Amino acid sequence: MNKLRIGVLGCASIAKRSVIPAIKSIAEFELVAIASRTKEKAEDFALEFGCDAVVGYQELIDRKDIDVIYMPLPTGLHEEWVVKALEAGKHIHIEKSLAMNYDSAKRMVELAREKGLLIMENFMFIYHQQHQFVKGLIAQGEIGEVRCFRSSFGFPPLDNDNFRYNAALGGGALLDAAAYTVRVSQLFLGNDIKVEAATLNTMNTEVDLFGGAYLKAPDGMFAEVAFGFDNFYQCNYEIWGSKGKIIVHRAFTPGIAFKPKITLEQQGDNINYEIGAENHFVNILNEFKRCVIENDFESKYEEILNQSRLLQELKDKAQ
Ligand SMILES: NC(=O)c1ccc[n+]([C@@H]2O[C@H](COP(=O)([O-])OP(=O)(O)OC[C@H]3O[C@@H](n4cnc5c(N)ncnc54)[C@H](OP(=O)(O)O)[C@@H]3O)[C@@H](O)[C@H]2O)c1
């Protein structure tokens, strides 16, 4: 296969910290260029990562030597730039959350489908082996019948100028933190869950700072999720069954050298497992590559649409 030539739209901290190093580590990807609104930022990133510096996002999209755009822009800017990138014939690896609302997600997916291009949301945590380990424990009957799923993701306040406090840019804990808890709920309860009740709290700011929701599957299984960025740090889920409970302590953000701990609680017994360290940013890029090679786009469109439907339901129920 020819290399997938990739361009990065925006000098985001997540790009610098995690995604560009992951791109650079995969032989089948070639980092071609990085675009910023400002020349200095583009040049700094380009120097650090050994690629071209481009000033202006459209200038990068117009390049003919790029197959894939990695887009770590704030959610509020996604639809505009996704449409432009798809119109230019590029596949897109995009940061969560993809869309401001469900209708916007549908428009982006319909265009990707029409153009025959991949669009995939960077929920990298799904590709860490620790979740398969948990599924294995459940399949072996270690906790009996699953009775309840709970997940929390929240962290202390961010700098005041962070785009997450700007509603027009897609700020708020729903699109930022709740997105993880809603995504992981689908992993364990299936795609047919619905949001039954929700709350979002703005504390008189222009965005939601924290909240929670109750989601239910057709078979009666349910999830309780809580999230926020005015919170004591939490990044976990637990699955409570008829005979035991599994706790995943670092569910969404295990660093590349970090060995996640998983606790299995049974009557009179606690077992702590240590899972091997993995780079889930590399794993999801390998999945992206597989989808392009195998023309497997539909499964990713479905994931995007289901995730966006649930976030929309959560927002609607909270009003
Ligand atoms: N998957 C994950 O693990 C993960 C982790 C953290 C964040 N994220 C997601 O990644 C995205 C970026 O998050 P981040 O924390 O890296 O943010 P960030 O450092 O603020 O980066 C956002 C980038 O967007 C560009 N941008 C364009 N217009 C902007 C505007 N009006 N205001 C602010 N930035 C603007 C900027 O690039 P230029 O100035 O170079 O044009 C900026 O560097 C978000 O969607 C976030 O949810 C994902």
Side-chain angles (χ1 to χ4, degrees), residues 217-230:
D219 61 2
M221 221 53 72
F222 64 97
E224 299 166 356
V225 302
F227 48 85
F229 45 53
D230 192 23

Side-chain angles (χ1 to χ4, degrees), residues 88-109:
K90 317 294 191 201
H91 299 291
I92 302 170
H93 188 46
I94 191 158
E95 274 308 337
K96 42 58 56 179
S97 281
L98 169 74
M100 298 285 273
N101 52 56
Y102 183 54
D103 286 344
S104 173
K106 273 201 298 194
R107 285 193 295 272
M108 289 186 253
V109 164

Side-chain angles (χ1 to χ4, degrees), residues 186-223:
Q186 294 159 80
L187 195 62
F188 288 96
L189 299 187
N191 293 338
D192 296 335
I193 49 175
K194 288 192 167 58
V195 179
E196 296 281 330
T199 182
L200 291 172
N201 297 281
T202 62
M203 308 300 282
N204 297 321
T205 67
E206 65 177 75
V207 298
D208 46 283
L209 295 185
F210 63 95
Y214 174 81
L215 302 93
K216 200 168 158 192
D219 61 2
M221 221 53 72
F222 64 97

Side-chain angles (χ1 to χ4, degrees), residues 9-15 17-19 35-38 41-42 45 57 70-75 77-78 95-97 122-124 161-164 166 169 175-176 180 252-253 280-281:
L9 216 62
C11 295
S13 62
I14 184 64
R17 199 166 68 237
S18 302
V19 179
S36 174
R37 295 165 300 169
T38 49
K41 259 169 125 182
F45 267 56
Y57 299 156
Y70 166 58
M71 197 179 292
L73 300 177
T75 300
L77 303 177
H78 282 181
E95 274 308 337
K96 42 58 56 179
S97 281
N122 193 25
F123 278 113
M124 73 299 167
D161 61 352
N162 195 295
F163 77 83
R164 290 167 180 80
N166 181 320
L169 289 176
L175 294 178
D176 196 54
Y180 289 85
F252 309 119
T253 57
H280 48 186
F281 291 99

Side-chain angles (χ1 to χ4, degrees), residues 13-164:
S13 62
I14 184 64
K16 179 177 174 132
R17 199 166 68 237
S18 302
V19 179
I20 299 177
I23 292 168
K24 297 279 290 181
S25 76
I26 303 175
E28 296 90 347
F29 280 97
E30 181 189 347
L31 180 70
V32 174
I34 294 181
S36 174
R37 295 165 300 169
T38 49
K39 188 166 177 277
E40 295 71 24
K41 259 169 125 182
E43 284 176 353
D44 281 354
F45 267 56
L47 188 66
E48 180 172 349
F49 294 110
C51 65
D52 291 353
V54 176
V55 183
Y57 299 156
Q58 189 64 51
E59 285 68 15
L60 183 121
I61 284 172
D62 287 342
R63 282 180 69 140
K64 300 282 179 258
D65 58 350
I66 287 174
D67 313 300
V68 177
I69 302 286
Y70 166 58
M71 197 179 292
L73 300 177
T75 300
L77 303 177
H78 282 181
E79 187 171 351
E80 175 188 357
W81 291 105
V82 162
V83 168
K84 288 175 175 165
L86 291 171
E87 292 291 357
K90 317 294 191 201
H91 299 291
I92 302 170
H93 188 46
I94 191 158
E95 274 308 337
K96 42 58 56 179
S97 281
L98 169 74
M100 298 285 273
N101 52 56
Y102 183 54
D103 286 344
S104 173
K106 273 201 298 194
R107 285 193 295 272
M108 289 186 253
V109 164
E110 273 160 24
L111 186 61
R113 191 178 274 132
E114 185 189 312
K115 299 281 178 192
L117 293 163
L118 177 62
I119 177 163
M120 183 163 156
E121 207 171 7
N122 193 25
F123 278 113
M124 73 299 167
F125 79 88
I126 297 283
Y127 296 90
H128 198 290
Q129 61 175 331
Q130 64 171 333
H131 311 295
Q132 291 311 317
F133 184 83
V134 171
K135 286 195 167 194
L137 291 177
I138 296 170
Q140 289 155 29
E142 296 286 4
I143 60 167
E145 302 271 326
V146 174
R147 295 287 180 244
C148 171
F149 181 86
R150 292 197 181 102
S151 178
S152 306
F153 189 34
F155 34 88
L158 306 150
D159 293 340
N160 285 338
D161 61 352
N162 195 295
F163 77 83
R164 290 167 180 80

